[in-house]
Amino acid sequence: GAVVSQHPSWVICKSGTSVKIECRSLDFQATTMFWYRQFPKQSLMLMATSNEGSKATYEQGVEKDKFLINHASLTLSTLTVTSAHPEDSSFYICSARGPREGAANEQFFGPGTRLTVL
Amino acid sequence: LAKTTQPISMDSYEGQEVNITCSHNNIATNDYITWYQQFPSQGPRFIIQGYKTKVTNEVASLFIPADRKSSTLSLPRVSLSDTAVYYCLVGDGNQGGKLIFGQGTELSVKP
């Protein structure tokens, strides 16, 4: 149980285009999902917290107009990288807070999406 | 959110027990300690979580001393497939459930 999927697993796009990444909780409902970015040989950096039915909360330094997050249902959150540039090339990972009540810090991560902007 | 400090890297050999220690001097009363494993180009995978003393599951043990200012992840009899980055995180899940990842420990298991 507690499986999170991401689509696509990798994407290559031209500079200036927008890319949408989907994150789905397959067998549980996730009111809260998180988006991370990871550059090579670095740790995960939290970008934003996505709450179903409300606006996302962005971490300091993350441009909300560039990284659009929509959490329209209890099983789906999307991250859209708008007007992508080569410096946005990274590994994007989503996670969903686990379904167990009182399970602090238990998050289930998706497999990640490799974005390459040419 | 409490800051964590781990060794940047560790080397081991197949069949050995590996202990990775994490310092979290500013841990709060309500904080839990959670460890994740990450392979290259994959999302992190939950390993184990604890609050105090010792927790054991099918893959690892977690030792937490009484003052809870550190914790040790113990991997018994590692294999080559345990080569990965291991992250120690501290939090109570109540701050919106946010997880802030530190630098992690890159474990390399050699034959």
Side-chain angles (χ1 to χ4, degrees):
Chain A
V3 177
V4 175
S5 70
Q6 279 184 244
H7 178 81
S9 55
W10 59 270
V11 57
I12 301 173
C13 69
K14 293 182 179 180
S15 185
T17 61
S18 295
V19 174
K20 179 184 285 188
I21 302 170
E22 294 184 348
C23 177
R24 293 181 185 274
S25 57
L26 298 185
D27 49 4
F28 67 102
Q29 293 182 333
T31 55
T32 304
M33 291 184 173
F34 304 89
W35 287 95
Y36 298 82
R37 181 167 55 178
Q38 186 175 34
F39 293 108
K41 294 294 184 180
Q42 294 188 23
S43 183
L44 285 79
M45 184 193 78
L46 179 66
M47 299 175 66
T49 302
S50 171
N51 296 299
E52 187 267 337
S54 64
K55 291 183 178 180
T57 303
Y58 291 82
E59 294 299 303
Q60 190 173 8
V62 179
E63 300 175 60
K64 62 180 181 180
D65 294 330
K66 181 169 184 63
F67 299 100
L68 301 179
I69 292 172
N70 185 15
H71 195 153
S73 77
L74 288 172
T75 59
L76 173 64
S77 176
T78 60
L79 168 68
T80 301
V81 183
T82 63
S83 187
H85 287 91
E87 57 265 31
D88 297 324
S89 298
S90 188
F91 192 53
Y92 291 86
I93 308 170
C94 74
S95 72
R97 202 170 176 184
R100 288 196 300 138
E101 289 295 326
N105 304 340
E106 188 173 33
Q107 290 187 19
F108 296 90
F109 287 80
T113 297
R114 176 76 58 192
L115 170 63
T116 301
V117 184
L118 303 177
Chain B
L1 294 168
K3 181 180 177 181
T4 60
T5 303
Q6 305 172 232
I8 294 176
S9 64
M10 292 182 68
D11 290 332
S12 182
Y13 291 92
E14 281 190 292
Q16 289 186 333
E17 178 185 77
V18 171
N19 296 308
I20 306 174
T21 297
C22 177
S23 297
H24 28 79
N25 291 319
N26 296 324
I27 190 169
T29 303
N30 296 331
D31 285 344
Y32 284 75
I33 300 156
T34 312
W35 286 79
Y36 284 83
Q37 175 193 55
Q38 186 184 28
F39 297 111
S41 296
Q42 294 186 26
R45 183 177 72 102
F46 174 91
I47 301 175
I48 197 166
Q49 180 181 89
Y51 183 80
K52 61 180 179 180
T53 63
K54 177 184 175 182
V55 179
T56 298
N57 62 21
E58 62 274 12
V59 298
S61 294
L62 179 60
F63 298 91
I64 305 168
D67 65 6
R68 304 202 322 125
K69 293 183 182 299
S70 66
S71 59
T72 299
L73 175 71
S74 181
L75 304 172
R77 297 180 300 281
V78 294
S79 63
L80 297 176
S81 62
D82 292 316
T83 294
V85 178
Y86 292 83
Y87 294 97
C88 161
L89 294 96
V90 173
D92 63 3
N94 290 325
Q95 298 183 34
K98 286 179 13 175
L99 293 179
I100 304 299
F101 283 76
Q103 64 184 11
T105 297
E106 187 171 9
L107 173 65
S108 178
V109 180
K110 303 174 182 177

